[in-house]
């Protein structure tokens, strides 16, 4: 059966106190509406329609890479009016799922269940039981417990406001019913808006079926209206992700101090300490240990590697049995082979380092190709940028580079070369096992007096 999705994203979101559209604020480093769009796409809908309005150009630009049919609601006149804008784009048959751009965490499993029920010629409401239902529309049922309508909070009586079952706004509807009933909505209510929920009474009055479904998790139906709700939902989502990882065998030192803003794939016996952030796509091999306060984005870290505290790894690939950090920074294009050591305050960018090489202290290695068993002394830098272009440094196997050395690219150091401490190397070294140094003279002045302060100062 055909399935269409309509996402409502025309609201102003005044309580966010922002010049940015509310649906473009983020959760786990992804905008609210992108969360919804990605989940909706997994239904393989015939058409995905987004209703935009206030700051709609921002929303269109942010989702420009997605296949979306756009419909404008201007001025906004309620949820029913919003869905009316989608009618010209909807097929005459099938099921239409209605979602909200500021309710980011609806799951695919819940949407599939809604569609399955709606395919049996039923309007399916996603509802929830709330301890404090203030502000939500209440689900009205008759003595047989059948749904007979929705009453909005502002229109409800005191008795109706005691009802704990609320309408989340999300529903799956046979598309023919939308075409049939939506044109007859009216705005005879306190808000003077066209409520989508009035559709329920129309369906019931003609003897059609209305079903309800509860989400598996309460956060699936939690909307975001202000910064506080945004932060609270972030923590709920992070808790859920942490629990999933621990069930798969990942050891989290403190799951309440863990942030996953993408995907994290872990082999057996991975240990992650507190306050680590993972972004993009990250893969961790068996027995990998991540120290506290690390940031890791779009990286692969192979088995038995230890990432010491406060390390920053972005777009890097690290081989087995590596030791990184503390305070290391691996930037995009960095590829480390097995048994490589990168120590404190060492930065690598677009560099490849072969097995058993090490740079343990205070160095910068950019656009470099480094062989096996190379030692990089403290304070070594590759001078890879001439102000216009980047140049490559090639260091072959078994090279030993002393401390405080500058390697001026483009440059090649042959196998086994030794570079003395404090040397600037600006010419290729073609002779293997050569010693490279800058000629210096050290002088001493005997009986030299160090300057001292004058009395009274």
């Amino acid at each position: 059966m055909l399935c269409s999705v309509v996402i409502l994203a025309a609201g102003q979101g005044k309580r966010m106190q922002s010049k940015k559209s509310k649906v473009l604020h983020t959760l786990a480093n992804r905008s609210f509406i992108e969360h919804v769009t990605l989940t909706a796409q997994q239904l393989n809908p015939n058409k995905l329609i987004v209703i935009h309005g206030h700051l709609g150009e921002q929303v269109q630009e942010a989702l420009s890479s997605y296949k979306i049919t756009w419909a404008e609601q201007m001025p906004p006149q309620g949820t029913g009016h919003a869905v009316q804008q989608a009618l010209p784009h909807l097929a005459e048959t099938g099921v239409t799922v209605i979602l909200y751009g500021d309710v980011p965490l609806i799951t695919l499993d819940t949407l599939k269940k809604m569609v399955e029920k709606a395919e049996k010629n039923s309007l399916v409401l996603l509802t929830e039981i709330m301890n404090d239902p203030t502000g939500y529309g209440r689900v009205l049922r008759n003595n047989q417990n059948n749904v007979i309508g929705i009453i909005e909070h502002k229109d409800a009586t005191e008795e109706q406001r005691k009802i704990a079952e609320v309408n989340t706004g999300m529903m799956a509807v046979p598309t023919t019913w939308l075409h049939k009933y939506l044109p007859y909505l009216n705005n005879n209510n306190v808000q003077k808006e066209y409520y989508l929920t009035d559709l329920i009474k129309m369906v019931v009055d003609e003897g059609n079926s209305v079903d309800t479904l509860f989400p598996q998790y309460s956060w699936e139906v939690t909307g975001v209206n202000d910064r506080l709700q945004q932060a609270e939902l972030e923590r709920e989502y992070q808790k859920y992700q942490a629990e999933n990882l621990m069930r798969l065998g990942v050891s989290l030192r403190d799951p309440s101090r863990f942030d996953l803003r993408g995907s994290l794939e872990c082999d057996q016996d991975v240990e992650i300490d507190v306050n680590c952030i993972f972004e993009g796509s990250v893969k961790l091999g068996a027995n990998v240990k991540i120290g506290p306060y690390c940031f890791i984005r779009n990286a692969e870290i192979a088995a038995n590697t230890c990432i010491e505290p406060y390390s920053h790894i972005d777009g890097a690939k690290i081989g087995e049995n590596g030791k990184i950090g503390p305070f290391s920074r691996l930037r995009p294009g960095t590829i480390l082979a097995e048994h490589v050591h990168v120590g404190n305050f060492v930065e690598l960018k677009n560099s490849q380092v072969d097995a058993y090489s090490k740079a343990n202290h205070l160095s910068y290695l950019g656009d470099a190709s480094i062989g096996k068993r190379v030692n990089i002394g403290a304070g070594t830098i590759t001078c890879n940028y001439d102000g216009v272009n980047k140049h490559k440094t090639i260091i072959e196997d078994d090279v030993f580079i002393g401390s405080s050395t500058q390697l001026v690219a483009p440059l090649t150091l042959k196998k086994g070369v030794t570079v003395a401490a404090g040397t600037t190397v600006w010419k290729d070294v073609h002779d293997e096992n050569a010693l490279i140094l800058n000629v210096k003279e050290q002088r001493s002045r005997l009986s030299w007096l160090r300057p001292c302060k004058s009395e009274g100062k």
Side-chain angles (χ1 to χ4, degrees):
M1 182 179 285
L2 285 176
C3 173
S4 300
V5 176
V6 178
I7 302 174
L8 276 56
Q12 291 190 29
K14 292 180 179 178
R15 282 180 279 173
M16 294 299 287
Q17 300 291 327
S18 174
K19 293 182 180 180
K20 182 166 62 176
S21 170
K22 178 170 75 168
V23 299
L24 296 183
H25 289 269
T26 60
L27 186 86
N29 217 35
R30 178 173 284 152
S31 71
F32 301 157
I33 194 166
E34 192 172 7
H35 276 284
V36 183
T37 300
L38 286 169
T39 304
Q41 280 187 329
Q42 294 178 71
L43 286 174
N44 297 315
N46 174 59
K47 191 159 286 189
L48 197 162
I49 304 166
V50 175
I51 312 299
H52 68 94
H54 181 68
L55 299 177
E57 66 284 353
Q58 291 184 3
V59 181
Q60 288 179 293
E61 183 179 354
L63 297 181
S64 60
S65 63
Y66 293 90
K67 187 178 180 181
I68 289 173
T69 299
W70 296 95
E72 185 177 23
Q73 183 193 22
M74 191 61 73
Q77 299 177 60
T79 53
H81 178 254
V83 180
Q84 284 176 342
Q85 312 314 304
L87 283 180
H89 306 288
L90 291 173
E92 294 295 328
T93 60
V95 170
T96 296
V97 180
I98 298 170
L99 305 174
Y100 291 80
D102 60 356
V103 185
L105 297 182
I106 187 68
T107 65
L108 179 62
D109 183 61
T110 295
L111 294 185
K112 284 182 175 179
K113 290 176 181 177
M114 292 171 65
V115 171
E116 287 171 5
K117 280 179 172 282
E119 286 177 343
K120 298 173 183 177
N121 211 37
S122 176
L123 187 154
V124 181
L125 292 173
L126 192 60
T127 67
E128 179 69 313
I129 303 296
M130 290 190 174
N131 294 328
D132 180 11
T134 302
Y136 286 86
R138 307 309 202 276
V139 178
L140 304 179
R141 295 179 181 268
N142 61 18
N143 292 334
Q144 288 75 45
N145 204 37
N146 296 320
V147 175
I148 56 173
I150 303 290
I151 185 74
E152 296 301 323
H153 180 88
K154 290 184 179 181
D155 299 307
T157 65
E158 286 301 315
E159 192 64 26
Q160 288 170 331
R161 290 182 181 182
K162 294 177 183 177
I163 298 172
E165 185 182 11
V166 303
N167 171 47
T168 68
M170 288 177 274
M171 62 178 72
V173 191
T175 306
T176 54
W177 294 3
L178 292 178
H179 285 290
K180 181 177 181 179
Y181 297 120
L182 280 183
Y184 296 99
L185 293 178
N186 63 63
N187 62 349
N188 298 328
N189 52 66
V190 174
Q191 295 290 91
K192 295 299 179 184
E193 292 184 348
Y194 296 89
Y195 293 150
L196 181 62
T197 48
D198 287 347
L199 181 69
I200 284 79
K201 187 175 185 305
M202 295 180 183
V203 169
V204 170
D205 285 349
E206 292 205 357
N208 293 307
S209 172
V210 175
D211 282 325
T212 58
L213 182 74
F214 291 117
Q216 184 176 359
Y217 305 100
S218 61
W219 44 256
E220 290 185 66
V221 297
T222 300
V224 178
N225 292 303
D226 57 36
R227 308 284 186 166
L228 178 60
Q229 291 177 342
Q230 180 182 9
E232 289 172 343
L233 188 57
E234 177 80 45
R235 291 324 317 155
E236 283 290 317
Y237 185 54
Q238 294 301 340
K239 178 184 176 184
Y240 165 74
Q241 295 192 105
E243 289 174 351
N244 278 347
L245 285 168
M246 289 188 290
R247 290 190 184 99
L248 293 172
V250 178
S251 176
L252 299 180
R253 190 66 56 87
D254 183 351
S256 68
R257 291 185 283 171
F258 167 83
D259 280 87
L260 174 54
R261 303 168 184 173
S263 64
L264 177 59
E265 181 182 325
C266 297
D267 209 329
Q268 290 185 318
D269 298 310
V270 168
E271 298 179 15
I272 300 173
D273 214 321
V274 301
N275 293 320
C276 291
I277 297 173
F278 298 86
E279 286 190 0
S281 175
V282 177
K283 295 182 180 180
L284 305 181
N287 301 304
V288 165
K289 292 178 174 56
I290 309 293
Y293 297 94
C294 290
F295 176 88
I296 302 176
R297 175 168 55 202
N298 295 325
E300 294 183 27
I301 303 175
N304 305 309
T305 290
C306 179
I307 310 296
E308 298 287 357
Y310 296 97
S311 294
H312 187 293
I313 299 170
D314 182 7
K317 186 174 182 179
I318 302 171
E320 293 185 358
N321 298 289
K323 184 175 181 181
I324 311 299
F327 297 98
S328 294
R329 185 183 182 194
L330 307 185
R331 293 167 59 191
T334 297
I335 301 175
L336 309 183
E338 66 273 13
H339 292 278
V340 169
H341 290 189
V342 177
N344 48 285
F345 305 104
V346 175
E347 178 181 357
L348 283 85
K349 186 270 296 181
N350 193 32
S351 292
Q352 298 77 49
V353 183
D354 213 337
Y356 294 93
S357 291
K358 56 186 179 180
N360 282 329
H361 316 281
L362 301 157
S363 296
Y364 169 70
L365 304 171
D367 299 295
S369 176
I370 300 171
K372 296 180 176 66
R373 298 174 299 277
V374 171
N375 179 83
I376 305 291
T380 295
I381 62 170
T382 54
C383 307
N384 57 321
Y385 183 52
D386 63 10
V388 178
N389 299 305
K390 300 290 180 68
H391 300 281
K392 193 170 186 66
T393 299
I394 299 173
I395 303 172
E396 296 188 357
D397 296 348
D398 299 304
V399 169
F400 183 97
I401 297 177
S403 300
S404 299
T405 295
Q406 300 84 48
L407 304 174
V408 183
L411 184 69
T412 298
L413 301 181
K414 296 297 287 185
K415 181 177 179 181
V417 163
T418 298
V419 179
T423 298
T424 299
V425 186
W426 64 88
K427 295 180 181 179
D428 290 347
V429 179
H430 300 293
D431 299 319
E432 294 186 4
N433 304 309
L435 171 64
I436 309 302
L437 70 163
N438 299 146
V439 177
K440 301 180 181 71
E441 182 180 351
Q442 178 172 314
R443 297 179 181 180
S444 298
R445 294 184 182 180
L446 303 180
S447 302
W448 182 74
L449 295 178
R450 184 180 299 165
C452 59
K453 291 184 179 181
S454 301
E455 291 186 10
K457 291 187 179 180

